[in-house]
């Protein structure tokens, strides 16, 4: 019933297995290098039958949590409040050191207006999936479940309509800029666009109209499948192309993130054009070729691999570029 207990190793064996082929088609190769995500993807694959795998981490987690919910036969009075309670505990784990069991009991008393034995919500939560019980305490099977649920909880509290001038959005957009420290803020913004997809273009558009750091933030959100429109994606890739032909920071980071927006039908042509752009720096061209060869496999991959092989064999190319692409070219 949990990712920790069902590793599904057999599904991950063999490059011609249906699971492996779906991973390739969904461009999940990078994500499934993380053992937990590989296991979740395998479980979701088993449960979805003929339906294709989701192509992003957000939908993988949502599909896994939905599977856990569908597998329950609980008649607990807490069942209809399970999602809200789990999201509250996700925030509790990320933002405090409080006991999860105590937080669950307090939430039930505050939101349901009824008293309950401390054991009641704990027993229910221990049966619903991403939590396990240890004596009288609860813990998440993996910290990433808490992060996912906490981000959803925070995203639900944001205004229905996006405004870059609103204090809460302004704070998140600023906090989301640093590469490592901004991870949670970026996840909250991503979940907001998933909960309110009609606001995705407005949020991303405000970043597109901004400075270099905002362009990079937009690229990071697109790489994680923020649900932008085709029109927005076309416009943003034009801007990313402008960055790609420069050596200014953060050009390479923007190209690297834009190349992960594999849901955009125009991405292959965009990357192919960049590889062929003689005026672009080698770093951008190599990043584009690597994406075509390793992430977006198809007929175009042959030329991309040939480009990388030629680079490896080019004595005039920088040593770090040649060594860094040896394995990619194979």
């Amino acid at each position: 019933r949990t990712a920790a207990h069902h590793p599904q190793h057999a599904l991950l064996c063999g490059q011609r297995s249906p699971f492996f082929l779906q991973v390739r088609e969904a461009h999940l190769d990078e994500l499934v290098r993380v053992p937990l995500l590989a296991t979740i993807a395998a479980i979701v694959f088993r449960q979805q039958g003929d339906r294709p795998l989701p192509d992003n981490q957000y939908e993988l987690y949502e599909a896994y949590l939905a599977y856990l919910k569908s597998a329950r036969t609980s008649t607990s009075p807490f069942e209809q409040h399970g999602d809200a309670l789990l999201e509250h505990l996700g925030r509790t784990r990320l933002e405090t050191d409080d006991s999860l069991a105590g937080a669950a009991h307090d939430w039930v008393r505050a939101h349901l207006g009824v008293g309950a034995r401390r054991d009641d919500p704990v027993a229910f939560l221990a049966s619903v999936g991403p939590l396990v019980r240890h004596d009288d305490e609860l813990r998440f099977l993996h910290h990433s479940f808490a992060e996912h649920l906490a981000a959803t909880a925070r995203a639900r509290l944001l205004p229905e309509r996006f405004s870059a001038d609103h204090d809460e959005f302004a704070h998140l957009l600023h906090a989301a800029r640093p590469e490592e420290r901004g991870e949670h803020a970026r996840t909250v913004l991503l979940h907001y666009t998933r909960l309110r997809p009609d606001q995705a273009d407005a949020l991303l558009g405000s970043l597109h109209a901004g400075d270099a750091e905002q362009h990079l933030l937009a690229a990071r959100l697109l790489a994680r499948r923020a649900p932008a429109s085709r029109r927005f994606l076309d416009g943003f890739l034009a801007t990313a192309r402008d960055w790609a032909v420069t050596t200014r920071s953060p050009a390479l980071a923007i190209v690297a993130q834009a190349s992960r927006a594999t849901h955009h039908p125009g991405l292959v042509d965009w990357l192919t054009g960049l590889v062929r752009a003689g005026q672009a720096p080698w770093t951008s061209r190599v990043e584009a070729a690597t994406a075509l060869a390793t992430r977006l496999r198809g007929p175009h991959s042959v030329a991309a691999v040939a480009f990388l092989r030629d680079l490896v064999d080019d004595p005039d190319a920088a040593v770090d570029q040649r060594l860094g692409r040896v394995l990619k070219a194979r």
Side-chain angles (χ1 to χ4, degrees):
R1 294 235 3 236
T2 67
H5 298 152
H6 293 277
Q8 309 283 341
H9 294 303
L11 283 173
L12 305 179
C13 298
Q15 293 194 1
R16 294 186 178 181
S17 72
F19 173 76
F20 187 88
L21 292 174
Q22 281 207 24
V23 165
R24 283 283 177 86
E25 289 172 3
H27 311 297
L28 292 173
D29 303 63
E30 289 181 328
L31 281 180
V32 298
R33 291 174 189 171
V34 179
L36 175 67
L37 287 169
T39 303
I40 289 175
I43 293 171
V44 171
F45 170 78
R46 276 268 177 96
Q47 298 303 314
Q48 294 202 156
D50 294 335
R51 287 176 294 165
L53 277 171
D55 69 351
N56 59 86
Q57 182 171 323
Y58 174 86
E59 289 184 11
L60 278 175
Y61 273 72
E62 287 295 296
Y64 179 66
L65 292 171
Y67 156 66
L68 294 176
K69 187 174 183 178
S70 69
R72 297 202 298 265
T73 57
S74 172
T75 57
S76 168
F78 309 120
E79 181 69 39
Q80 62 180 312
H81 307 286
D83 292 346
L85 185 48
L86 284 171
E87 289 173 12
H88 172 69
L89 294 186
R91 289 198 69 174
T92 300
R93 175 50 60 240
L94 254 66
E95 299 172 6
T96 75
D97 293 323
D98 294 349
S99 157
L100 292 184
H105 186 78
D106 292 343
W107 188 95
V108 167
R109 183 170 52 198
H111 289 80
L112 303 187
V114 296
R117 293 180 305 170
R118 183 182 178 89
D119 187 60
D120 290 343
V122 173
F124 166 72
L125 288 163
S127 71
V128 301
L131 291 159
V132 292
R133 185 174 185 172
H134 183 70
D135 295 329
D136 291 328
E137 190 49 86
L138 291 166
R139 63 181 177 85
F140 280 96
L141 282 168
H142 194 274
H143 190 65
S144 64
F145 288 121
E147 293 172 333
H148 180 89
L149 291 163
T152 298
R154 286 194 63 188
R156 290 193 196 281
L157 298 176
L158 292 170
E160 290 188 14
R161 300 193 64 80
F162 172 79
S163 170
D165 296 328
H166 190 283
D167 286 347
E168 291 181 73
F169 284 119
H171 171 75
L172 278 171
L173 291 169
H174 179 75
R177 291 188 177 201
E179 182 174 2
E180 294 184 8
R181 290 185 294 107
E183 178 65 23
H184 182 63
R186 287 194 295 274
T187 304
V188 174
L189 291 170
L190 175 72
H191 286 212
Y192 174 77
T193 66
R194 285 290 184 160
L195 294 172
R196 303 191 185 282
D198 61 317
Q199 297 301 302
D201 276 13
L203 190 157
L204 292 164
S206 75
L207 296 173
H208 192 192
D211 58 18
E213 282 190 284
Q214 289 171 304
H215 290 175
L216 178 55
L217 176 53
R220 284 172 169 155
L221 292 173
L222 290 171
R224 295 178 63 181
R225 308 298 189 273
S229 68
R230 173 72 181 265
R231 181 179 179 181
F232 175 84
L233 281 163
D234 286 341
F236 185 80
L237 284 182
T239 297
R241 169 65 181 241
D242 291 340
W243 278 106
V245 297
T246 76
T247 56
R248 292 186 294 122
S249 177
L252 183 57
I254 290 173
V255 173
Q257 293 300 314
S259 72
R260 287 169 167 79
T262 53
H263 56 306
H264 182 40
L267 185 63
V268 168
D269 289 343
W270 184 82
L271 291 168
T272 301
L274 186 53
V275 172
R276 295 171 178 169
Q279 78 276 23
W282 278 105
T283 49
S284 292
R285 298 176 69 191
V286 166
E287 189 65 42
T290 301
L292 289 168
T294 64
R295 195 175 303 122
L296 290 156
R297 293 179 178 88
H300 48 269
S301 298
V302 175
V305 170
F307 175 87
L308 293 172
R309 286 188 184 279
D310 289 344
L311 175 65
V312 171
D313 295 333
D314 185 355
D316 295 326
V319 173
D320 60 339
Q321 292 178 358
R322 294 171 67 190
L323 292 178
R325 302 301 160 179
V326 170
L327 293 178
K328 299 285 188 184
R330 290 180 176 174

